[in-house]
DNA sequence: GATAGTTTCATACAAATGTTTGAAATGCAA
DNA sequence: TTGCATTTCAAACATTTGTATGAAACTATC
């Protein structure tokens, strides 16, 4: 194991190709051609194609999860142990959206790969994905601390909808661009994050009785009243 | 063309198998075995495997789109030519959610097939999905009539988020169930539709100045009481 | 009931794909 | 250097897959 040159070349080439063309369209021969290595190298270094995909996915999963948890921890420190709900949602959707929607498209190969993994459903990845629930539970716990007394069901739906908007925006950005004839600016990632966070917090606080009218308006005006393109 | 027996047997078997095992796992040989027809029958009747998949998807898509437009038209008639925004959103997400989340989903292979089509991303279906934009434009137009003066960008984002929540709920219902430990009831389709519609309308009206405080509370309370089934 | 058009069938084909193999090359320590 | 383990390589393997073919069976019209 003197130099991982071949091994990492395969990983890089595979991730790039999968990100660009999807799992269904990329063969081992495509990968080794892109990596300039021999066909047998994949099975030598990874055992099988599925294990290569799995390694790719777990690596990136760990990275994204760590980013998210870092943001979450920072938010909790900022709030003295209890993060604000909007900061929690921001920590949840921010890393993914920034990674996948940013104009720095070349550095975001990893993110585009993760989107592929989210769109297509290939066996090795599906197996790993089942563990993601444990990760989301940490966010659910933080949300519970931020909104004590709120019904857990509402909380889960809010978390679910936040991921829905984030992932769907990434998944269907082409369609949204076409539908809006370019009016929806998908390069302004910060505005998109603000938008998703705002709507998520709205969804989470929507059960509030109108006798406490301060909550919602504050959020509405505090966050992105302005998302001009 | 005396009796479409073979043709429809293929369609039925294919839809069932695709619904159960996904596109990646089902071969033409599986389909013809399930349908008790000859292997060559698929190419004879449909031309190719992709055209078979396309026909399956187009058929179901047309059904869903017709349902949506019917609901939209009914809402517009009810409102005297201008439908209420929440009714428009309900027409947009209702048919899909009802079709894919109903408690009779075990028996409805069509619904499970559409879920598969939403989860996996196979070329013939992707091609067809691109035409969906034209269909969505009709909803954008209705929304524009319902909310005159509102910026088009906001309108598209609202439409986009509504579809995001609906589709993500269908796609990830297993995960949501597991994350919430069964607390999120995914069999109560009406409540889910109300929830998605409410959040969507919130997102659409979030730029409103608080000088018109009647809008949001009305929606909040009307959430679980309305039904247009 | 003969005939033309349609459908079914067994079988073959060609291409693609993940995997294996065994030898050659390379690196490294003694 | 020699010897040994690791890595690379070209080639082959074994399946699987969608599709094509040509004959047989069937159907309906005259």
């Amino acid at each position: 194991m003197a130099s991982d040159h071949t091994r990492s070349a395969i990983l890089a080439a595979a991730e790039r190709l999968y990100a660009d063309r999807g799992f269904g369209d990329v063969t081992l021969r495509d990968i080794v051609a892109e990596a300039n290595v021999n066909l047998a190298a994949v099975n030598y270094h990874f055992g099988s194609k599925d294990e290569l995909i799995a390694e790719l996915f777990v690596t990136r999963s760990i990275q994204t999860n760590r980013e998210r948890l870092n943001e979450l921890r920072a938010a909790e420190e900022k709030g003295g142990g209890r993060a604000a709900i909007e900061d929690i949602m921001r920590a949840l959707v921010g890393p993914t959206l920034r990674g996948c929607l940013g104009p720095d498209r070349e550095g975001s190969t990893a993110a585009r790969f993760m989107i592929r993994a989210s769109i297509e459903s290939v066996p090795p990845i599906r197996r790993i994905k089942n563990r993601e629930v444990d990760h989301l539970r940490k966010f659910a716990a933080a949300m519970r601390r931020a909104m004590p007394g709120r019904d857990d069901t509402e909380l889960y739906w809010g978390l679910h909808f936040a991921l829905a908007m984030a992932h769907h925006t990434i998944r269907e950005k082409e369609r949204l661009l076409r539908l809006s004839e370019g009016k929806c600016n998908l390069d302004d990632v910060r505005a998109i994050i603000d938008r998703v966070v705002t709507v998520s917090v709205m969804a989470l606080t929507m059960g509030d009785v109108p006798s406490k009218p301060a909550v919602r308006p504050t959020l509405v005006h505090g966050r992105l009243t302005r998302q001009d393109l």
Side-chain angles (χ1 to χ4, degrees), chain A:
Chain A
M1 202 175 289
S3 96
D4 280 343
H5 168 265
T6 300
R7 210 184 126 87
S8 37
I10 292 173
L11 283 171
E15 183 168 50
R16 183 151 16 110
L17 289 180
Y18 284 143
D20 284 343
R21 293 159 39 190
F23 296 100
D25 268 12
V26 176
T27 72
L28 286 190
R29 284 170 176 80
D30 294 331
I31 293 171
V32 298
E34 179 87 357
N36 280 311
V37 301
N38 187 268
L39 174 60
V42 173
N43 289 276
Y44 177 79
H45 285 281
F46 298 94
S48 70
K49 179 194 185 185
D50 277 11
E51 290 174 85
L52 166 62
I53 294 178
E55 171 151 347
L56 238 26
F57 185 68
V58 298
T59 302
R60 295 309 182 193
S61 283
I62 289 172
Q63 284 179 359
T64 300
N65 288 352
R66 183 162 42 212
E67 267 185 76
R68 292 214 267 219
L69 288 179
N70 280 345
E71 271 197 46
L72 177 60
R73 200 170 310 126
E76 280 176 338
E77 282 172 12
K78 190 183 82 177
R82 182 176 301 181
I85 183 63
E86 58 192 285
D87 289 332
I88 298 173
M89 305 313 281
R90 193 175 299 272
L92 182 68
V93 302
T96 309
L97 282 169
R98 264 199 305 279
C100 297
L101 254 39
D104 55 330
R105 55 181 225 278
E106 204 43 53
S108 67
T109 304
R112 295 202 328 274
F113 169 82
M114 290 303 277
I115 293 317
R116 281 290 179 189
S118 156
I119 292 178
E120 299 184 27
S121 191
V122 71
I125 288 183
R126 195 173 328 154
R127 279 192 291 271
I128 298 163
K129 250 194 198 158
N130 289 341
R131 296 181 227 150
E132 197 180 277
V133 174
D134 296 327
H135 176 252
L136 291 182
R137 258 186 241 288
K138 295 172 185 159
F139 280 85
M143 291 167 72
R144 203 173 289 117
R145 287 192 293 273
M147 311 178 73
R150 177 156 302 281
D151 192 83
D152 267 11
T153 307
E154 299 300 315
L155 196 141
Y156 289 124
W157 276 110
L159 176 55
H160 171 75
F161 282 164
L163 292 176
M165 290 183 279
H167 284 148
H168 198 76
T169 299
I170 292 160
R171 265 175 65 90
E172 306 284 353
K173 66 179 174 184
E174 282 328 315
R175 187 176 73 174
L176 178 57
L177 257 177
R178 207 141 39 85
L179 175 65
S180 72
E181 287 161 318
K183 284 176 193 152
C184 291
N185 181 7
L186 284 161
D187 290 327
D188 190 349
V189 187
R190 170 168 305 180
I192 293 175
I193 293 175
D194 285 342
R195 188 181 288 272
V196 170
V197 168
T198 304
V199 177
S200 302
V201 176
M202 272 181 162
L204 279 165
T205 56
M206 82 180 169
D208 281 349
V209 285
S211 60
K212 229 175 72 178
V215 176
R216 203 159 34 236
T218 300
L219 290 166
V220 169
H221 290 299
R223 199 60 66 190
L224 94 140
T225 48
R226 205 135 343 293
Q227 50 278 15
D228 4 42
L229 43 161

